[in-house]
């Protein structure tokens, strides 16, 4: 349970859409093409100010055209800002996270990436996380 009302919470997203900032390295799609049982277990940090013009989606298992037209369908940052403006949530976290969905062997994701994501959420004092599965 939340320790305070949602209207006072700092909220972050974690998306499995494989979103990267334009100046970040892409997720390793070639490795997955060569070994379909493997998926890049890394993650990327996405600032709350990101828009379609700032990102690309590196995912072999979804139609990325939708996200390229409206980032909100895979990472609804604008909707979160609207909820903050309406007082539904306290505020949007400054940073959100994305990883590559379709990871069949999750060991590296769970042992390396997830603890780092959790540490980042703790530094930001995030109260609630919304998972955005794609």
């Amino acid at each position: 349970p939340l320790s305070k009302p949602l209207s006072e919470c700092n909220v972050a997203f974690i998306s499995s859409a494989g979103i990267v900032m334009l100046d970040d390295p892409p997720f390793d799609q070639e490795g997955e093409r060569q070994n379909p049982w493997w998926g890049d277990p890394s993650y990327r940090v996405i600032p709350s100010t990101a828009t379609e013009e700032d990102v690309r989606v590196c995912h072999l298992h979804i139609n990325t055209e939708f996200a390229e037209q409206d980032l909100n369908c895979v990472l609804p940052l604008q909707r979160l800002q609207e909820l903050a403006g309406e007082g539904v949530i306290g505020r949007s976290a400054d940073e959100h996270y994305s990883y590559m969905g379709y990871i069949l062997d999750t060991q590296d994701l769970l042992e390396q990436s997830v603890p780092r994501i959790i540490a980042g959420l703790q530094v930001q004092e995030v109260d609630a996380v919304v998972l955005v599965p794609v």
Side-chain angles (χ1 to χ4, degrees):
L2 289 173
S3 61
K4 55 187 166 186
L6 189 58
S7 61
E8 297 174 14
C9 287
N10 181 14
V11 180
F13 285 129
I14 299 176
S15 173
S16 63
I19 304 163
V20 301
M21 298 299 293
L22 293 177
D23 56 353
D24 284 340
F27 287 97
D28 185 353
Q29 294 175 304
E30 190 54 38
E32 186 176 342
R33 283 184 185 99
Q34 292 182 18
N35 178 3
W37 297 104
W38 179 85
D40 186 338
S42 64
Y43 69 94
R44 303 294 184 276
V45 177
I46 310 297
S48 62
T49 56
T51 66
E52 298 81 8
E53 289 78 32
D54 303 315
V55 301
R56 61 185 157 172
V57 179
C58 305
H59 203 303
L60 296 176
H61 301 278
I62 65 171
N63 181 346
T64 61
E65 291 179 25
F66 298 111
E68 292 165 2
Q69 294 171 16
D70 184 2
L71 181 60
N72 289 293
C73 70
V74 293
L75 190 66
L77 297 174
Q78 290 175 326
R79 303 295 83 83
L80 195 61
Q81 293 292 350
E82 291 168 4
L83 291 173
E86 295 169 6
V88 175
I89 65 166
R91 68 182 188 92
S92 169
D94 293 332
E95 296 178 337
H96 304 269
Y97 299 87
S98 185
Y99 67 96
M100 174 71 77
Y102 193 81
I103 297 177
L104 301 178
D105 180 357
T106 59
Q107 183 174 350
D108 288 341
L109 176 72
L110 295 174
E111 292 178 358
Q112 297 173 23
S113 295
V114 169
R116 291 179 186 143
I117 290 171
I118 291 170
L121 294 167
Q122 290 171 332
V123 165
Q124 294 187 83
E125 298 179 344
V126 169
D127 302 298
V129 175
V130 178
L131 302 178
V132 186
V134 177

